[in-house]
Amino acid sequence: MKYALLVTGHPTQSKACQSALAFAQRIDAHHEHELLGVFFYEEGVAVANRLANPPRDEYNVLSEWEAFHKLSTTPLYVCIAAAIRRGVLNENESKRHELNANNCSDHFQLEGLGTWVELNSLADKVVQFR
């Protein structure tokens, strides 16, 4: 079965990012299933902010997603419009908006909603985490 995940919950205000990660890890561990990609939308885009710095005794969801990406090569997409609106920019968008800094983790790709539509159409099952 082919899965696509949609994450809309903020990483510090809900368990959406953590639950989605656990689900993604389980899919990746079972070779009869395929995870086509994870799309972060609305408040979920905050997970890609590499400048967020939780206290050392708290769960660091960004570093866990980055580790997952390194092991699985599953694409991690961040809605570009939602990200820019919330101040999460990669190097290209930072230059395009004439800003001198960027904060989007290199493990995430800024993409439009067309990418989500494509993932949605290719997947047998879509799971949303709020």
Side-chain angles (χ1 to χ4, degrees):
M1 184 167 293
K2 295 179 182 178
Y3 287 88
L5 306 184
L6 177 64
V7 182
T8 58
H10 193 283
T12 62
Q13 298 173 3
S14 79
K15 296 291 185 191
C17 291
Q18 291 171 272
S19 298
L21 177 60
F23 193 81
Q25 290 168 327
R26 287 188 191 103
I27 292 170
D28 198 50
H30 293 91
H31 300 292
E32 67 271 9
H33 300 297
E34 180 182 359
L35 180 54
L36 299 174
V38 182
F39 196 86
F40 296 87
Y41 185 56
E42 296 173 343
E43 298 303 323
V45 302
V47 74
N49 181 355
R50 64 180 164 79
L51 296 180
N53 194 13
R56 291 180 191 198
D57 62 341
E58 288 184 15
Y59 184 76
N60 188 331
V61 70
L62 171 59
S63 66
E64 295 297 323
W65 273 109
E66 289 174 333
F68 172 76
H69 182 255
K70 287 177 191 175
L71 294 174
S72 74
T73 68
T74 297
L76 303 177
Y77 302 112
V78 175
C79 176
I80 191 167
I84 291 170
R85 185 176 299 117
R86 291 164 177 84
V88 178
L89 299 114
N90 63 11
E91 187 175 351
N92 289 339
E93 288 303 310
S94 179
K95 287 178 185 174
R96 189 166 79 88
H97 293 279
E98 300 177 359
L99 299 169
N100 59 1
N102 64 77
N103 61 340
C104 186
S105 167
D106 294 336
H107 298 278
F108 294 80
Q109 302 172 48
L110 294 180
E111 296 285 340
L113 285 175
T115 299
W116 172 242
V117 171
E118 183 178 352
L119 275 176
N120 210 357
S121 69
L122 295 173
D124 300 315
K125 183 165 265 203
V126 174
V127 182
Q128 181 177 1
F129 296 86
R130 299 177 190 208

